Amino acid sequence: MSDKIIVNRLAGSIGAEIIGADVKNEHHWPIIRKAFIDFSVISIREQNITPDDHLTFAKRWGEINVNRFFNSLESYPNIAIVLKEADQTAAIGEDWHTDHSYDTKPAMCSILHAIDLPPYGGDTCFSSQYAAYDALSNKMKKMLDGQYAWHSSRHAFGETAKSDAQHKTGNFKNANKATQDALHPVVITHPLSGKKALYVNSGFTSHIKGLAAWESDSILSGLKQFIASTPRLTCRVSWEPNTLTFWDNRCTQHHAVWDYWPDTRSGERVSILGSERPAA
């Protein structure tokens, strides 16, 4: 691996690819950390790492957030398996979402190591929630600032979701433990950058506190549609073997593109616990 580290932007609003870095090299940490703060989504190529290396790198960011619902790597309960097998008729992460937003202290970042990849497709799209907030009109910003929304794991991982394709394949577990409900600001201030970001998502946000159901549904559906249909907010990560990609859940959403049926796609993911509740 070259001694020169190159950081290439992936898109105008979000994302960068790092060439020449080694996550096992502690001297590369300051460059990687700065890129993470600046670009929110970082893809590092050619990371031939072991699960222990993955965890060592993850612990530089903070305490591990153990996933309750994904199966884990054998002998590594802190590493979740993100798996889409050939015979499955649905894929994990097809909705735009923010990892663990249903927790009181959501995951600060997620770190995914590509393991098995399809011969084509299987990209992941990311959306900047800084850019999403900035693109709103001043009237909409004024209306949303100070509002709070509920996020829940129940509809995604709970007993009512057990009939869906992912549960049937055994990719998810502990449906009886999907009891998390968390109240977060609709607009949060990032603790590192100090910038405002929109913090609602299709995967886990259920309703805005204090509004009638139709009011909440109208606002949330509009915001979710805006995020899903606005390319200028996004970047796209094309996976290669041994790519390590990590993203800041406080200011991004992501969407796994399922365009590779009937092939398999898998990765090993470690999430980092947030040190504090999201704040307005």
Side-chain angles (χ1 to χ4, degrees):
M1 188 171 289
S2 170
D3 291 334
K4 186 177 181 181
I5 298 175
I6 300 172
V7 179
N8 295 321
R9 297 188 71 150
L10 291 176
S13 295
I14 185 174
E17 177 184 71
I18 301 182
I19 307 297
D22 183 352
V23 298
K24 299 188 294 293
N25 188 333
E26 63 181 20
H27 299 295
H28 294 178
W29 164 250
I31 297 173
I32 294 171
R33 183 179 185 275
K34 184 179 186 306
F36 175 76
I37 296 171
D38 290 345
F39 301 110
S40 305
V41 176
I42 303 298
S43 234
I44 308 180
R45 304 298 185 182
E46 299 181 17
Q47 299 304 299
N48 187 16
I49 60 173
T50 66
D52 288 311
D53 295 330
H54 194 168
L55 287 171
T56 297
F57 177 70
K59 289 174 183 176
R60 289 185 179 276
W61 300 93
E63 182 183 349
I64 303 297
N65 185 333
V66 179
N67 192 292
R68 308 171 185 86
F69 308 118
F70 284 26
N71 291 321
S72 59
L73 185 64
E74 185 177 0
S75 301
Y76 290 91
N78 290 346
I79 300 179
I81 299 297
V82 180
L83 174 64
K84 160 63 179 69
E85 295 182 290
D87 60 347
Q88 292 177 9
T89 57
I92 295 171
E94 288 186 87
D95 289 333
W96 283 97
H97 65 285
T98 300
D99 291 342
H100 293 250
S101 71
Y102 48 77
D103 284 333
T104 302
K105 293 182 179 180
M108 178 267 283
C109 82
S110 300
I111 307 171
L112 182 62
H113 185 213
I115 304 298
D116 294 316
L117 296 174
Y120 55 84
D123 294 352
T124 303
C125 296
F126 293 89
S127 175
S128 170
Q129 299 312 284
Y130 293 144
Y133 177 78
D134 289 343
L136 300 176
S137 68
N138 288 334
K139 286 185 177 181
M140 179 62 77
K141 290 176 183 175
K142 185 176 181 180
M143 181 179 70
L144 295 179
D145 283 339
Q147 299 292 331
Y148 282 74
W150 284 100
H151 300 241
S152 180
S153 65
R154 299 173 189 272
H155 58 280
F157 300 116
E159 295 290 343
T160 58
K162 286 180 69 174
S163 62
D164 73 21
Q166 291 296 338
H167 280 281
K168 287 181 178 180
T169 60
N171 283 347
F172 293 157
K173 62 181 180 181
N174 296 331
N176 62 315
K177 295 183 179 180
T179 58
Q180 293 75 33
D181 300 297
L183 186 65
H184 300 307
V186 171
V187 178
I188 67 171
T189 300
H190 195 283
L192 295 180
S193 70
K195 296 192 293 186
K196 288 191 173 184
L198 199 58
Y199 197 72
V200 296
N201 66 86
S202 295
F204 304 117
T205 308
S206 58
H207 61 284
I208 298 174
K209 180 183 177 182
L211 297 186
W214 71 268
E215 295 171 328
S216 173
D217 290 347
S218 296
I219 293 170
L220 288 178
S221 64
L223 292 174
K224 293 170 183 177
Q225 179 62 29
F226 167 60
I227 291 164
S229 63
T230 309
R232 72 177 184 274
L233 307 178
T234 68
C235 72
R236 190 173 181 124
V237 170
S238 295
W239 296 90
E240 299 171 0
N242 289 322
T243 294
L244 190 78
T245 298
F246 53 109
W247 55 91
D248 192 329
N249 285 300
R250 298 164 295 191
C251 56
T252 70
Q253 293 189 34
H254 57 283
H255 157 70
V257 181
W258 184 35
D259 58 353
Y260 50 89
W261 187 89
D263 292 296
T264 294
R265 177 182 181 271
S266 73
E268 297 172 0
R269 194 186 78 185
V270 180
S271 297
I272 310 303
L273 185 67
S275 61
E276 56 195 22
R277 300 183 67 157

